Amino acid sequence: AQKVTQAQTEISVVEKEDVTLDCVYETRDTTYYLFWYKQPPSGELVFLIRRNSFDEQNEISGRYSWNFQKSTSSFNFTITASQVVDSAVYFCALTPRDRGSTLGRLYFGRGTQLTVWP
Amino acid sequence: DVKVTQSSRYLVKRTGEKVFLECVQDMDHENMFWYRQDPGLGLRLIYFSYDVKMKEKGDIPEGYSVSREKKERFSLILESASTNQTSMYLCASSKGQGRSGANVLTFGAGSRLTVL
């Protein structure tokens, strides 16, 4: 069974604060992808990152960084120096890749609503 | 700009009506998906399709059906709408397995359906 847990339903920060969004996953597949998506108030989900289960290197893209730890089954997302435009719902997702898995479908967490106040 | 287009942004229907939600993608993607989004429940998969005329049930297919007659179009059908189907419906597409960038979903803007 595949499961993604985002325990934080809502987070509020003030601009310029750093914020970390947690994501914990469960899968029996040895190969899988992990994702983060952003859903701004306009509603359209926007792809942020995909990480292969064999690649535990952390990734940084501007103010965004991702910390993937297989030992704790976590794929956390940090926004440094947050801005009002970062306000959105953020979803973590998993897709299994082992033989016999339903390839291509994503399993989503319930999302974390991030509000950044000016 | 590549896109997934959902025909209706907002719909209001009455209980018992048949409802069609249309989704078109222009990226030549093999896979297409319909998700439902409700507050506190995240995204739940209704149906998906790997190819023309193929469909697979997701986690919550009851009360829904789909149609994929052409590669670029994936329709969600509510045969007899009920109030508990009031929700945001999101269509997405992705490349098939083996293609570069497979598994990355591109989403439409969503269709907010209200059933009275």
Side-chain angles (χ1 to χ4, degrees):
Chain A
Q2 323 292 336
K3 187 177 180 182
V4 176
T5 301
Q6 296 179 253
Q8 305 150 309
T9 54
E10 295 183 24
I11 300 176
S12 288
V13 298
V14 177
E15 233 179 354
K16 299 184 182 176
E17 285 186 29
D18 298 346
V19 58
T20 295
L21 309 181
D22 297 333
C23 174
V24 175
Y25 62 91
E26 296 175 32
T27 181
R28 291 181 179 174
D29 285 48
T30 55
T31 306
Y32 49 90
Y33 285 126
L34 295 166
F35 301 80
W36 277 95
Y37 279 83
K38 174 182 180 179
Q39 185 180 39
S42 61
E44 190 168 328
L45 272 83
V46 176
F47 166 74
L48 296 179
I49 189 172
R50 180 183 70 176
R51 173 63 69 208
N52 187 307
S53 55
F54 293 116
D55 182 2
E56 287 194 71
Q57 278 194 335
N58 292 331
E59 180 149 345
I60 298 174
S61 176
R63 296 185 297 107
Y64 294 172
S65 62
W66 290 270
N67 183 285
F68 175 31
Q69 293 194 344
K70 283 179 86 168
S71 60
T72 56
S73 298
S74 64
F75 186 44
N76 296 336
F77 173 29
T78 297
I79 302 174
T80 303
S82 59
Q83 300 176 1
V84 172
V85 293
D86 295 327
S87 296
V89 181
Y90 291 86
F91 290 96
C92 182
L94 163 79
T95 190
R97 297 282 298 152
D98 283 358
R99 185 185 297 276
S101 292
T102 305
L103 299 180
R105 69 160 290 180
L106 268 62
Y107 296 82
F108 285 85
R110 296 189 175 190
T112 297
Q113 170 71 60
L114 172 65
T115 303
V116 182
W117 298 100
Chain B
D1 196 15
V2 293
K3 264 190 174 297
V4 175
T5 303
Q6 296 184 229
S7 55
S8 303
R9 194 79 166 94
Y10 299 95
L11 302 94
V12 179
K13 298 292 182 180
R14 297 209 173 271
T15 301
E17 281 192 71
K18 191 169 186 176
V19 181
F20 292 87
L21 300 179
E22 305 286 347
C23 175
V24 177
Q25 51 94 5
D26 63 2
M27 297 166 283
D28 198 35
H29 283 176
E30 286 78 13
N31 304 332
M32 296 190 75
F33 305 82
W34 275 106
Y35 283 89
R36 170 176 171 163
Q37 182 178 10
D38 299 288
L41 297 179
L43 277 69
R44 294 179 291 168
L45 183 64
I46 306 172
Y47 268 98
F48 57 106
S49 169
Y50 289 139
D51 202 349
V52 176
K53 297 194 185 296
M54 293 183 66
K55 60 184 179 183
E56 299 276 349
K57 292 181 180 179
D59 299 322
I60 52 165
E62 296 78 18
Y64 303 95
S65 62
V66 290
S67 172
R68 193 164 181 204
E69 296 297 319
K70 293 184 177 181
K71 188 176 184 179
E72 66 270 19
R73 186 180 297 270
F74 193 37
S75 303
L76 181 68
I77 304 156
L78 288 68
E79 295 288 343
S80 178
S82 63
T83 55
N84 63 14
Q85 292 179 309
T86 292
S87 186
M88 171 70 88
Y89 291 88
L90 296 169
C91 176
S93 69
S94 68
K95 295 179 184 178
Q97 299 306 311
R99 293 180 62 189
S100 173
N103 305 120
V104 176
L105 297 187
T106 301
F107 281 86
S111 298
R112 184 167 294 281
L113 172 66
T114 301
V115 182
L116 301 176

